[in-house]
Amino acid sequence: MTEEQDHGQTPAPQGSRIDAYVDRYAARAAGMVASEIRALFAVASRPEVVSLAGGMPYVTALPLDLVGELVADLVTRRGPVALQYGSGQGDPHLREQICEVMRMEGIEAGADDVVVTVGSQQALDLITRIFIDPGDVVLAEGPSYVGALGTFSAYQAKVVHVTMDDQGLVPESLAQTLYALKTAGNTVKFLYTIPTFHNPGGVTLNHARRQQVLDICQRAGVLIVEDNPYGLLGFDGEPMRALRADNPDGVVYLGSFSKTLAPGFRVGWALAPHAIRDKLVLAMESAVLSHSSFTQLAVGQYLATQPWREQIKTFRELYRERRDSLLDALEVLMPPGVSWTRPAGGFFVWATLPEGLDSKAILPRAVAERVAFVPGTGFFSDGSGARQMRLSYCYPQPDRIREGVRRLAGVIDQELQLRDTFGTTPPPIPPGVDTPAPDLA
Ligand SMILES: Cc1ncc(COP(=O)(O)O)c(C=O)c1O
């Protein structure tokens, strides 16, 4: 090409043979790295492998024929609306229905403050987009949801973890962390928390601590982002009261139909104080113009015509049985020194291995033995979690869960014998950002 033909454009980037544009990406793209264990998860999705890794809801338990009829009927009767662009804030009727769903957790809110999003994952993205400049501080439980950590990393936030125990986030740790950050001159943009049936922790913030967390954040002027996709999937009693129920001005609440209906609709939402809501709508429009009218109306139709509360009960009973299978099998089969959380809802158990074992190093051997889990390091932004792993019970049948634990216990037993014979060795896989694919999040 001559200089004239080039129209003064800069020369093509040198790059590498794998990616010619490697030196042209924005700095933030450096944080977008696929995990080196993704390939292993591709193997783990083979039918002979029991996957305790994935976080996929068991959508087979839905009345799929009825959902099919409802979708067909929607196109026939309301096609011109369902197949048209919608508003950036979301379908007004669906937003009313969302308020009814949130009432189950003690939230009193108006449809005007709800923004419908493409799953709650997009709400997380929008919130991060409107609050975070590179280097800004976000607080999150340690461990935390891998999809949120991926978003925070994409916007170059600095994530500082707050300690969590079997009663959820530890208020004293929150207060101390805030104090230390303030003393060092840092402004915390928000606290990201999953108070109920935590992913991956499997624990729930107890009642007393909820008020403490609200008070601490209010005193420090820190916004809370409450991510609550599992709140209605509790195994005992009534749903927990949401943090948002007790502080409408200090909490942005994120909800989703992914776990109570189906993730394929990609319908979630944010409930936010007015000013933040306005920014979210603008950010939403700049991201996707508007959410799919089709799936919003389909979810609205489902809520209006189907016994959705009963369906949630069905899901809860199904997941409770699977949780019991996992906990019983762990109790009977795991070698001494392994510990784990006992979730009262949701999808996940968080297990800790004995000293000297590394969950990421064990994963290839576990997959060879036809069982998979997610290693703990992906749930921290600071490389912690090497001795931990997330075990999910939402997808496999109870007998498969038991078989998976039997295989995993065998692998851990062998690792312990190796440790006792040869001592500990450094992990063979270099540390990196562990971002499993969406079906594992
Ligand atoms: C804690 C948490 N937040 C958000 C999401 C995103 O869910 P969705 O975008 O399907 O609503 C997930 C998905 O697993 C999750 O576990």
Coordinates of all heavy atoms in Angstrom, one line a residue, residues 119-121 145 192 194 199 227 229-230 256 258-259 266 441, ligand 1:
G119 N -30.1 -10.2 32.8 CA -29.6 -10.9 34.0 C -29.0 -9.9 35.0 O -28.8 -8.7 34.7
S120 N -28.8 -10.4 36.2 CA -28.3 -9.4 37.2 C -26.8 -9.2 36.9 O -26.2 -8.2 37.4 CB -28.4 -9.9 38.6 OG -27.9 -11.2 38.8
Q121 N -26.2 -10.0 36.1 CA -24.8 -9.8 35.7 C -24.7 -8.4 35.0 O -23.7 -7.7 35.2 CB -24.3 -10.9 34.7 CG -22.9 -10.8 34.3 CD -21.9 -11.1 35.5 OE1 -22.2 -11.9 36.4 NE2 -20.8 -10.4 35.5
Y145 N -18.3 -13.7 44.4 CA -18.8 -14.3 43.1 C -17.8 -14.0 42.0 O -17.4 -12.8 41.7 CB -20.1 -13.6 42.9 CG -20.7 -13.8 41.5 CD1 -20.8 -15.0 40.8 CD2 -21.2 -12.7 40.8 CE1 -21.3 -15.2 39.6 CE2 -21.7 -12.8 39.5 CZ -21.7 -14.0 38.9 OH -22.2 -14.2 37.6
Y192 N -19.7 -4.6 47.8 CA -20.5 -5.6 47.0 C -20.7 -6.8 47.9 O -19.7 -7.4 48.4 CB -19.7 -6.0 45.7 CG -20.3 -7.2 45.1 CD1 -21.6 -7.2 44.4 CD2 -19.7 -8.5 45.1 CE1 -22.1 -8.3 43.8 CE2 -20.2 -9.6 44.6 CZ -21.5 -9.5 43.9 OH -22.0 -10.6 43.3
I194 N -23.1 -10.5 48.9 CA -24.2 -11.5 48.6 C -24.6 -12.0 50.0 O -24.1 -13.0 50.5 CB -23.6 -12.7 47.8 CG1 -22.9 -12.1 46.5 CG2 -24.7 -13.6 47.3 CD1 -21.9 -13.1 45.9
N199 N -22.7 -17.2 47.0 CA -21.9 -17.9 46.0 C -20.5 -17.3 46.0 O -20.3 -16.1 45.8 CB -22.5 -17.6 44.6 CG -21.7 -18.2 43.5 OD1 -20.7 -18.9 43.7 ND2 -22.0 -17.9 42.2
D227 N -26.4 -8.2 46.2 CA -26.7 -9.1 45.0 C -27.4 -10.3 45.6 O -26.9 -11.1 46.4 CB -25.3 -9.5 44.4 CG -25.5 -10.3 43.1 OD1 -26.6 -10.4 42.6 OD2 -24.5 -10.8 42.6
P229 N -29.5 -13.2 44.0 CA -30.2 -14.1 43.1 C -30.7 -15.4 43.7 O -31.6 -16.0 43.2 CB -29.1 -14.5 42.1 CG -27.8 -14.3 42.8 CD -28.0 -13.2 43.8
Y230 N -30.3 -15.7 45.0 CA -30.7 -17.0 45.6 C -31.6 -16.8 46.7 O -32.0 -17.8 47.4 CB -29.4 -17.8 46.1 CG -28.4 -18.0 45.0 CD1 -27.3 -17.2 44.9 CD2 -28.6 -19.0 44.1 CE1 -26.4 -17.4 43.9 CE2 -27.6 -19.2 43.1 CZ -26.5 -18.4 43.0 OH -25.6 -18.6 42.0
S256 N -32.8 -11.4 40.2 CA -32.7 -12.1 38.9 C -33.8 -13.2 38.9 O -34.2 -13.8 39.9 CB -31.4 -12.8 38.9 OG -31.3 -13.6 37.7
S258 N -33.0 -15.8 37.0 CA -32.3 -16.9 36.5 C -32.4 -18.2 37.4 O -32.4 -19.3 36.9 CB -30.8 -16.5 36.5 OG -30.6 -15.6 35.4
K259 N -32.6 -18.0 38.7 CA -32.6 -19.2 39.6 C -34.0 -19.5 40.0 O -34.2 -20.7 40.4 CB -31.8 -18.9 40.8 CG -30.4 -18.3 40.6 CD -29.5 -19.2 39.8 CE -28.1 -18.8 39.4 NZ -27.6 -17.6 39.1
R266 N -32.6 -14.4 30.5 CA -31.7 -13.3 30.8 C -32.4 -12.1 31.4 O -32.2 -11.0 30.9 CB -30.8 -12.9 29.6 CG -30.1 -14.1 29.0 CD -29.2 -14.8 29.9 NE -28.1 -14.1 30.6 CZ -28.0 -14.1 31.9 NH1 -28.7 -14.8 32.7 NH2 -27.0 -13.4 32.4
A441 N -20.3 -20.2 36.4 CA -20.2 -19.0 37.4 C -21.1 -19.3 38.6 O -20.8 -18.7 39.6 CB -20.6 -17.7 36.7
Ligands
LIG1 C1 -24.1 -14.1 43.1 C2 -24.5 -14.0 41.6 N1 -24.7 -12.8 41.1 C3 -25.1 -12.7 39.9 C4 -25.2 -13.8 39.0 C5 -25.6 -13.5 37.6 O1 -26.8 -14.1 37.3 P1 -27.7 -13.7 36.1 O2 -27.0 -12.8 35.2 O3 -28.1 -15.0 35.4 O4 -28.9 -13.1 36.7 C6 -24.9 -15.1 39.5 C7 -25.0 -16.2 38.6 O5 -24.6 -17.3 38.9 C8 -24.5 -15.2 40.8 O6 -24.3 -16.4 41.4

